[in-house]
Amino acid sequence: MRKYTLDTASDGAVSDAVSAHDNERRKTLITTRRRLVKGISAAALGATVALAAQPAAMANEARPHARTYQECRGVTVDKGAPVISKVSVFIKAPQKTVWRLHTDIDNWASWIPEITPAQKKTPGPLRPGSVFEWSPQDMHITSTVKTVKPLRCTAWGAPVNGIDGVHLFTFKPVKGGVLATTEESWAGPPVDADIPGSQSTLDTGLKDWMNRLKETAEAGSARP
């Protein structure tokens, strides 16, 4: 019978070789894992920076040019309307004179006949809920007052022929007189069908209105 003997020296060498191989493998795995973690961290950091920067860049690209709107006790024109016009004039006259001309609707015909006939349907001074009729741009309109701040501002609105309009006037006392501003928005299918034409019509109408108010107020205050 053949006898087998255990070669302890050879076994030791094999064990050492296996241990060395395992250690090397562990080192390789550790190095690979560190690189992977480092890569993931860098990728995550890059993604975080990109995501943080993207909204800011998009916001800068999407941010519209700043525009201020007239306001009367929290009421403004329709900021989303396709047509908005604003006109300001300096009026060298007392604020009470300007306010009286503006709110005395039954007498609009005396200084701006293009928007008459005009008549209040609600007796008394203008106030929220007051109704009046007038005829700007050859349209018959029934307007309802949204809000009023005596001597300072008015806001009214009305739908007419498919157009939703919101109209504000503000009166700011300044040195030597009053800064009067009107702003109006138009929205609706007829406006969408011809935005440039609607814009031109509204611009022209408001400019004429404010110039008439200025001329009338200054002429009245100049009388002895």
Side-chain angles (χ1 to χ4, degrees):
M1 181 180 293
R2 180 179 295 178
K3 295 181 179 179
Y4 295 91
T5 58
L6 183 61
D7 188 346
T8 55
S10 297
D11 289 344
V14 171
S15 297
D16 291 343
V18 171
S19 297
H21 176 73
D22 288 344
N23 289 336
E24 189 64 29
R25 186 167 177 269
R26 289 192 189 96
K27 291 179 181 180
T28 301
L29 289 173
I30 291 171
T31 301
T32 302
R33 185 174 64 182
R34 286 175 177 172
R35 288 175 179 172
L36 181 61
V37 170
K38 185 177 180 180
I40 292 174
S41 299
L45 178 60
T48 301
V49 172
L51 289 173
Q54 186 178 17
M58 292 175 63
N60 287 332
E61 292 176 0
R63 185 181 295 119
H65 294 296
R67 173 169 185 164
T68 58
Y69 296 90
Q70 298 301 295
E71 182 177 323
C72 184
R73 294 190 182 277
V75 177
T76 67
V77 296
D78 178 1
K79 298 178 182 179
V83 170
I84 299 175
S85 184
K86 180 165 66 174
V87 177
S88 296
V89 295
F90 169 73
I91 302 177
K92 190 177 181 180
Q95 189 173 12
K96 289 183 178 180
T97 299
V98 177
W99 180 258
R100 177 180 53 79
L101 287 169
H102 170 62
T103 58
D104 189 6
I105 295 172
D106 291 342
N107 286 316
W108 277 357
S110 65
W111 60 277
I112 185 167
E114 290 81 2
I115 63 172
T116 59
Q119 182 179 16
K120 286 194 301 182
K121 294 299 182 180
T122 305
L126 287 185
R127 59 190 183 276
S130 291
V131 174
F132 63 95
E133 295 179 348
W134 53 310
S135 304
Q137 312 296 340
D138 298 322
M139 298 182 291
H140 179 74
I141 298 178
T142 300
S143 290
T144 302
V145 175
K146 295 176 175 290
T147 190
V148 174
K149 186 175 182 179
L151 296 177
R152 299 306 296 265
C153 64
T154 61
W156 57 66
V160 55
N161 299 335
I163 298 175
D164 290 319
V166 181
H167 200 171
L168 272 76
F169 286 84
T170 61
F171 305 96
K172 181 180 179 181
V174 295
K175 185 177 181 180
V178 178
L179 178 63
T181 301
T182 185
E183 185 170 36
E184 186 170 3
S185 62
W186 281 1
V191 180
D192 294 333
D194 184 12
I195 293 176
S198 297
Q199 185 71 63
S200 177
T201 298
L202 186 57
D203 289 346
T204 300
L206 293 188
K207 287 177 183 177
D208 183 61
W209 188 325
M210 298 305 283
N211 285 333
R212 296 291 185 87
L213 179 61
K214 172 182 172 67
E215 292 169 3
T216 306
E218 291 181 346
S221 63
R223 293 172 186 166

